[in-house]
Amino acid sequence: MKRMLSVVIPVFNEEGSIKTLIKNINTNIQKIKTSELIDDYEIIFVDDGSGDSSQNIIKEAIDTDVHIKLITFRTNFGKSKALEAGFRYAKGDIVITMDADLQDDPKEIRRFIEKIDEGYDLVSGWKENRLDPLEKRLPSKLFNWVTSKLSGIKIHDFNCGYKAYKKEVVKSIAVYGEFHRYIPVLAKRNGFRVTEISVTHHKRQHGASKFGCERYLRGLYDAISSWFLLKYYEKPMYFFGKIGLILLSVGGLVCSYLTCLWFLGYPIGTRPLLTLGVMLILIGAQFISMGLIANILVDQDKRRANDTLYIKEIYERK
Ligand code: UDP
Ligand code: MG
């Protein structure tokens, strides 16, 4: 059986790294090809609206290397959309994603493929010896711990850009917004087998990280969102509706009780209980409306995930 590998690489202003990256990937994949783990491969760069010469460097490489392909965006849409575009376009039976900044070492590609061949659908990289500053590692640790606890997926590094997938996984998930951090969660939700391998990690040599210290707060948001997404993404109404109905019922009971009193001739206009009852009803109704709106948003999001309008051009040597 002929087997093809696609390497998908999101790029946002990485001009200093690309040439070396291509050379390293090619060297490593050639070695893998001789051991017959794969028969053919493609390297798909997705240029996420870079303002530097990244795009030109990749186009030059395409002139001499038939394996390289480039998808360009009109502007910076973010890493998730870059991955999504690559996933839609990839032809491989196995897809590997990797950052463009030389922090992920292409020599690990072989181990990723071997792990997939053990029967896993998604193999996530774990930067066990992570060479990033502490202010990046700490919030990441917290995010990973919480996400792992809430999702029940026992991996250490959800956000690692270095991952391998079977084709079915990338074709069945939609990555957008900040979803690139939850790909293992998305995959597990679709019933795929997820595991991890520890990978070598290098310091960033060129350019700067594209994600700053807003990581601290984002880590917290991400933890809450990943729990919510895993449990309620399909039907947010089940979450909001439940709270809404409880509040509405308690409010209804309180107001019914007061109405009875009123009919019996007791004054109720100044009772704090009246304010509470009315508030509970109003807030309950709000929660239910929120659930409805959330349902509409999920529906629209799913449709939008299928369009590839943000792609400007696709370069490929015929
Ligand atoms: N990236 C991207 N779009 C963005 C931000 C980042 O395509 O808006 C790419 C970036 O070029 C790199 C990868 O995503 O290849 C990871 O980014 P970075 O190294 O800045 O993240 P970190 O390693 O700091 O988590
Ligand atoms: Mg990096």
Side-chain angles (χ1 to χ4, degrees):
M1 190 185 68
K2 283 226 171 266
R3 196 153 76 150
M4 165 120 177
L5 168 71
S6 302
V7 182
V8 173
I9 307 169
V11 176
F12 182 49
N13 297 334
E14 306 282 2
E15 59 186 3
S17 312
I18 289 166
K19 272 193 185 144
T20 320
L21 180 67
I22 294 178
K23 203 178 88 213
N24 290 351
I25 294 178
N26 272 327
T27 320
N28 279 283
I29 293 191
Q30 286 310 333
K31 278 189 218 152
I32 299 172
K33 266 181 83 177
T34 51
S35 66
E36 294 181 350
L37 269 179
I38 54 159
D39 303 286
D40 198 6
Y41 69 100
E42 59 181 357
I43 306 174
I44 304 170
F45 285 98
V46 187
D47 178 42
D48 184 14
S50 297
D52 66 357
S53 63
S54 298
Q55 222 184 86
N56 289 337
I57 297 172
I58 300 167
K59 283 181 183 167
E60 269 170 33
I62 291 180
D63 288 338
T64 54
D65 187 342
V66 71
H67 299 107
I68 303 174
K69 290 149 191 189
L70 167 66
I71 298 173
T72 66
F73 285 178
R74 288 196 180 80
T75 183
N76 179 232
F77 281 108
K79 188 174 174 183
S80 284
K81 275 208 165 153
L83 288 176
E84 170 73 14
F87 285 168
R88 299 256 167 224
Y89 184 68
K91 297 189 190 69
D93 304 290
I94 295 178
V95 178
I96 291 188
T97 58
M98 185 190 285
D99 288 352
D101 53 9
L102 299 174
Q103 292 196 264
D104 300 331
D105 194 324
K107 78 166 192 246
E108 308 284 9
I109 293 177
R110 168 190 288 273
R111 291 182 51 234
F112 272 109
I113 299 177
E114 285 169 351
K115 199 74 188 171
I116 289 271
D117 284 348
E118 282 179 25
Y120 292 98
D121 301 304
L122 191 167
V123 183
S124 188
W126 170 25
K127 295 164 281 188
E128 198 173 354
N129 233 329
R130 187 168 175 184
L131 296 175
D132 275 325
L134 192 69
E135 74 265 19
K136 246 168 102 165
R137 293 198 318 259
L138 270 186
S140 164
K141 264 216 153 75
L142 178 69
F143 162 71
N144 281 309
W145 185 79
V146 177
T147 311
S148 173
K149 284 278 167 276
L150 292 176
S151 66
I153 305 174
K154 291 192 176 45
I155 63 174
H156 294 82
D157 197 354
F158 284 81
N159 196 13
C160 180
Y162 208 0
K163 288 187 171 64
Y165 312 79
K166 275 195 189 140
K167 179 168 69 189
E168 302 86 282
V169 182
V170 302
K171 299 296 177 192
S172 79
I173 56 175
V175 198
Y176 47 95
E178 291 285 307
F179 272 64
H180 63 268
R181 298 170 208 276
Y182 321 110
I183 295 181
V185 181
L186 298 178
K188 194 196 167 196
R189 202 174 59 202
N190 288 357
F192 291 111
R193 285 185 76 195
V194 178
T195 190
E196 71 181 351
I197 57 171
S198 150
V199 292
T200 324
H201 188 239
H202 300 290
K203 269 210 176 82
R204 196 181 240 285
Q205 294 168 26
H206 310 276
S209 169
K210 310 299 179 293
F211 303 97
C213 47
E214 75 281 358
R215 265 168 203 276
Y216 283 109
L217 263 184
R218 285 200 180 164
L220 179 67
Y221 299 147
D222 286 349
I224 300 171
S225 319
S226 73
W227 163 79
F228 184 78
L229 289 171
L230 189 68
K231 279 196 88 160
Y232 296 107
Y233 179 71
E234 295 296 327
K235 281 268 166 252
M237 189 60 177
Y238 288 7
F239 175 77
F240 294 109
K242 205 190 301 173
I243 301 177
L245 278 183
I246 292 173
L247 297 179
L248 211 60
S249 317
V250 178
L253 281 178
V254 168
C255 286
S256 310
Y257 165 69
L258 289 174
T259 310
C260 292
L261 287 186
W262 184 75
F263 275 118
L264 293 172
Y266 295 100
I268 58 164
T270 53
R271 293 190 61 166
L273 197 60
L274 180 65
T275 318
L276 179 71
V278 172
M279 261 175 56
L280 287 176
I281 291 179
L282 287 179
I283 299 171
Q286 288 281 342
F287 264 95
I288 292 177
S289 332
M290 216 140 51
L292 289 174
I293 295 172
N295 268 2
I296 296 173
L297 287 179
V298 167
D299 187 62
Q300 284 189 342
D301 251 358
K302 284 192 167 166
R303 284 179 217 197
R304 204 175 307 135
N306 284 329
D307 77 40
T308 37
L309 285 178
Y310 43 87
I311 294 175
K312 190 171 137 209
E313 280 170 289
I314 292 174
Y315 296 88
E316 172 176 6
R317 228 175 53 192
K318 289 281 176 296

